[in-house]
Amino acid sequence: MSTAQPLRVAMIGTGFMGAAHSQAFRVAHRFFDLPLTPVMSVIVGRDAAKTQAAAEKYGWNEASTDWRAVIARDDIDLVDVCTSGETHAEIAIAALKAGKHVLCEKPLANTVDEAREMADAAREAAEHGIRSMVGFSYRRVPALTFARDLVQSGRIGEVRQARAAYLQDWLVDENGPMTWRLDKKLAGSGSLGDIGAHAVDSVQFITGQTVEQVSGHMTTFVKQRPLLGETVGLSGTASDEMGEVTVDDAAWFTGLLSGGAVVSFEASRYATGRKNGLKIEIFGSKGAIVFDLEKLNELEFYDGTDAAGEQGFRRIFVTEPEHPYTANWWPTGHGLGYEHAFSHQVRDLVFDIAEGRQPLPSFDDGLRVQQVLAAVERSAGANGVFTPVA
């Protein structure tokens, strides 16, 4: 039995991300020797009955509908924000001011101003030992982390070009009902912020560079959708009343990285046949890497220093004990899944809290991604080139 001190967690939000984060808090300390043991103290939602059902299903000790009261409690150490984007700033800033560590889902906020307020609050809280992290979980997929390690160790030489495309198809059916992700007031943006944010953060993480300039285009294919009727499980049925889609369905943008490389991004929730395809290609002066989330245990690596007759992309199955995170799971060859990245996120956050380090990605990192997203929106509206600043 672990003798580590408890880290008492309150999670706000009961939806898709709430389920994923719950799995991580249940599992992380059972596979990693953590300096603090996460305790799933309370889950918070808007509907009392649904929140209680989520507590029982996901393993939380209590259920509440009052996040302010929960944040004020002395028996809570960490607040995990898994709500829609328009509430991130209010909840996270309140938690930081109450002396709670904070994990906040991506994108950090709906606007640059909100993200800046959150980053300012996080820096101030850090002076008092309070830590914060934004949840770009794909950084913790072992193959993507390994890609970062290869690039940072110089295996592909100077980065010259990067490509990232995050493609899904869950909106292809134009008769599918409205969700909060299609409402700009709630979500901030559509595919750009929902999945494009992951693409931006992943490229910046792997290359160690920032996006310095962008030129973009955004479009909305379906302008109206049926409003939700009766809720069934985690989804809902469509009604006869129509609602306006106020976000982008797809976004494309090119740019420059701080090291001089060119980069292109694509984000779409209308890419028929692509279920969760985040593909990242990084090309350097001595080699290249390719990562595909739909093959998340694999990495393609091209070593340009090989003899000419031996060159070609090699498939690396990222399940060896030498690879990031994998030694704590299954024997070699037994792959990991989507949910493991969230367990790795909890693992890293707990170590950072216990050892007094700034967790990464920080709220400042989240602000930087938000600035890129805002610059893409400005560029798409003006058909110009913009730098990612406020």
Side-chain angles (χ1 to χ4, degrees), residues 159-163 209 254-257 259-264 281 283:
V159 175
R160 292 174 172 168
Q161 183 177 353
R163 302 173 62 199
Q209 301 180 30
T254 57
L256 293 175
L257 297 179
V262 294
V263 61
S264 64
E281 300 174 279
F283 304 98

Side-chain angles (χ1 to χ4, degrees), residues 10-55:
M11 188 179 73
I12 305 174
T14 62
F16 170 33
M17 280 299 104
H21 285 226
S22 296
Q23 168 75 356
F25 284 119
R26 281 197 308 271
V27 168
H29 68 285
R30 303 183 187 279
F31 285 83
F32 295 89
D33 187 13
L34 301 183
L36 301 169
T37 300
V39 176
M40 299 169 66
S41 297
V42 57
I43 184 173
V44 183
R46 289 174 293 185
D47 182 279
K50 293 177 182 177
T51 305
Q52 181 60 42

Side-chain angles (χ1 to χ4, degrees), residues 13-294:
T14 62
F16 170 33
M17 280 299 104
H21 285 226
S22 296
Q23 168 75 356
F25 284 119
R26 281 197 308 271
V27 168
H29 68 285
R30 303 183 187 279
F31 285 83
F32 295 89
D33 187 13
L34 301 183
L36 301 169
T37 300
V39 176
M40 299 169 66
S41 297
V42 57
I43 184 173
V44 183
R46 289 174 293 185
D47 182 279
K50 293 177 182 177
T51 305
Q52 181 60 42
E56 295 171 3
K57 181 177 182 179
Y58 301 143
W60 293 87
N61 295 336
E62 299 178 40
S64 174
T65 57
D66 188 344
W67 66 262
R68 292 177 178 84
V70 168
I71 284 175
R73 287 168 47 166
D74 292 333
D75 62 344
I76 297 299
D77 305 307
L78 168 66
V79 174
D80 184 7
V81 183
C82 294
T83 55
S84 53
E86 90 284 4
T87 64
H88 284 187
E90 182 182 15
I91 297 172
I93 292 172
L96 290 168
K97 289 183 176 179
K100 316 299 183 186
H101 307 295
V102 174
L103 171 61
C104 183
E105 256 304 314
K106 49 56 59 185
L108 185 60
N110 278 2
T111 68
V112 170
D113 287 343
E114 289 175 346
R116 183 177 290 108
E117 290 177 8
M118 295 172 72
D120 290 344
R123 274 185 252 107
E124 182 177 349
E127 297 177 0
H128 305 284
I130 305 303
R131 307 301 167 191
S132 54
M133 173 194 280
V134 58
F136 283 107
S137 57
Y138 292 148
R139 287 186 176 210
R140 269 84 185 186
V141 172
L144 197 148
T145 309
F146 183 52
R148 186 279 310 269
D149 294 345
L150 288 174
V151 172
Q152 295 302 306
S153 65
R155 292 297 300 277
I156 70 168
E158 177 187 354
V159 175
R160 292 174 172 168
Q161 183 177 353
R163 302 173 62 199
Y166 201 157
L167 307 178
Q168 299 176 341
D169 71 354
W170 63 274
L171 285 177
V172 167
D173 180 4
E174 63 186 44
N175 295 314
M178 283 283 295
T179 77
W180 68 268
R181 294 184 184 275
L182 302 178
D183 185 340
K184 188 173 180 63
K185 292 181 181 178
L186 301 179
S189 65
S191 61
L192 177 65
D194 183 19
I195 54 180
H198 270 305
V200 172
D201 181 74
S202 295
V203 167
Q204 293 188 146
F205 173 65
I206 293 171
T207 64
Q209 301 180 30
T210 55
V211 177
E212 295 294 310
Q213 195 177 83
V214 296
S215 176
H217 176 76
M218 299 162 63
T219 192
T220 302
F221 298 116
V222 178
K223 305 295 196 300
Q224 289 187 326
R225 285 182 173 272
L227 294 176
L228 280 175
E230 180 183 0
T231 300
V232 180
L234 295 178
S235 60
T237 58
S239 71
D240 294 331
E241 186 178 355
M242 303 296 287
E244 295 293 327
V245 175
T246 53
V247 299
D248 58 288
D249 288 332
W252 301 265
F253 52 105
T254 57
L256 293 175
L257 297 179
S258 54
V262 294
V263 61
S264 64
F265 295 95
E266 182 179 351
S268 175
R269 301 186 295 202
Y270 277 75
T272 303
R274 293 299 182 194
K275 303 307 176 184
N276 198 33
L278 170 59
K279 189 170 186 178
I280 300 169
E281 300 174 279
I282 310 291
F283 304 98
S285 57
K286 297 194 299 183
I289 56 140
V290 178
F291 168 78
D292 186 345
L293 187 61
E294 291 185 339

